[in-house]
């Protein structure tokens, strides 16, 4: 998947270079090559942007690689940033969407509270009990651990 994404980005770059070339040489080649290169660049960008937002690890890989840690380990900085984690809790104080499809909320567990971003692109409702699979983002403030949730189970 990564190689496909890189190939599409190369296509964006080449079509952008072609667009600039045909823009400079518009008198010689006319508008048709200019419009075609702009269209190709737009199509490549339209495919590349959603691909860049996809997690590079599948749901099954997250489930296999994720570990459950005690809340104390998060508080005492014993969990590595970007470690694959599994956290189960209740969604509370769901806020408005920011940065596209990322919902920001608190995930309340029996031991404590996590700050979480929903990167899955799926809707989450307030008061739902969910199991999240994602990466640990460190502490949002002095005491609240943060999770980047890529997948979840109801």
């Amino acid at each position: 998947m990564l190689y496909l994404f890189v190939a599409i980005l190369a296509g964006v770059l080449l079509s952008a270079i072609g667009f600039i070339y045909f823009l400079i040489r518009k008198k010689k080649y006319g508008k048709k090559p200019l419009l075609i290169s702009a269209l190709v660049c737009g199509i490549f960008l339209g495919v590349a942007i959603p691909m860049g937002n996809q997690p590079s690890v599948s749901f099954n890989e997250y489930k296999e690689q994720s570990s459950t840690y005690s809340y104390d380990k998060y508080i005492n900085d014993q969990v590595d940033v970007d470690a694959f984690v599994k956290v189960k809790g209740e969604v509370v104080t769901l806020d408005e969407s920011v940065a596209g499809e990322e919902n920001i909320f608190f995930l309340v567990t029996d031991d404590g509270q996590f700050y979480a971003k929903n990167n899955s692109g799926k809707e989450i409702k307030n008061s739902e009990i969910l199991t999240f699979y994602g990466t640990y983002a460190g502490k949002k403030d002095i005491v609240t651990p943060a999770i980047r949730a890529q997948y979840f189970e109801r």
Side-chain angles (χ1 to χ4, degrees), residues 56 66 101 115-116 134:
S56 59
S66 293
E101 296 296 318
Y115 175 82

Side-chain angles (χ1 to χ4, degrees), residues 9-135:
L9 284 180
V12 169
L13 181 63
L14 289 174
S15 61
I17 291 169
F19 176 79
I20 292 169
Y21 176 79
F22 289 124
L23 183 64
I24 293 169
R25 303 292 212 128
K26 187 167 54 171
K27 286 184 180 179
K28 182 176 182 180
Y29 294 104
K31 289 184 181 180
K32 190 173 182 179
L34 180 68
L35 294 174
I36 290 171
S37 62
L39 179 65
V40 169
C41 186
I43 290 170
F44 277 132
L45 272 175
V47 172
I49 290 171
M51 284 181 72
N53 290 333
Q54 299 280 327
S56 59
V57 180
S58 74
F59 178 61
N60 289 333
E61 290 173 310
Y62 261 102
K63 283 182 84 169
E64 291 171 5
Q65 296 178 22
S66 293
S67 299
T68 304
Y69 299 96
S70 70
Y71 191 75
D72 289 336
K73 287 194 178 208
Y74 289 104
I75 295 301
N76 295 322
D77 296 322
Q78 295 175 342
V79 179
D80 294 332
V81 173
D82 293 329
F84 285 33
V85 296
K86 173 184 173 182
V87 179
K88 182 176 183 175
E90 179 181 0
V91 175
V92 179
T93 63
L94 194 58
D95 293 333
E96 294 294 318
S97 288
V98 292
E101 296 296 318
E102 294 182 346
N103 293 316
I104 298 174
F105 56 92
F106 287 103
L107 185 64
V108 179
T109 66
D110 293 336
D111 298 327
Q113 173 175 289
F114 291 85
Y115 175 82
K117 279 187 179 180
N118 175 18
N119 292 334
S120 72
K122 297 179 181 176
E123 185 178 339
I124 296 174
K125 296 178 182 166
N126 205 14
S127 301
E128 281 189 291
I129 307 267
L130 302 172
T131 302
F132 284 94
Y133 299 91
T135 55

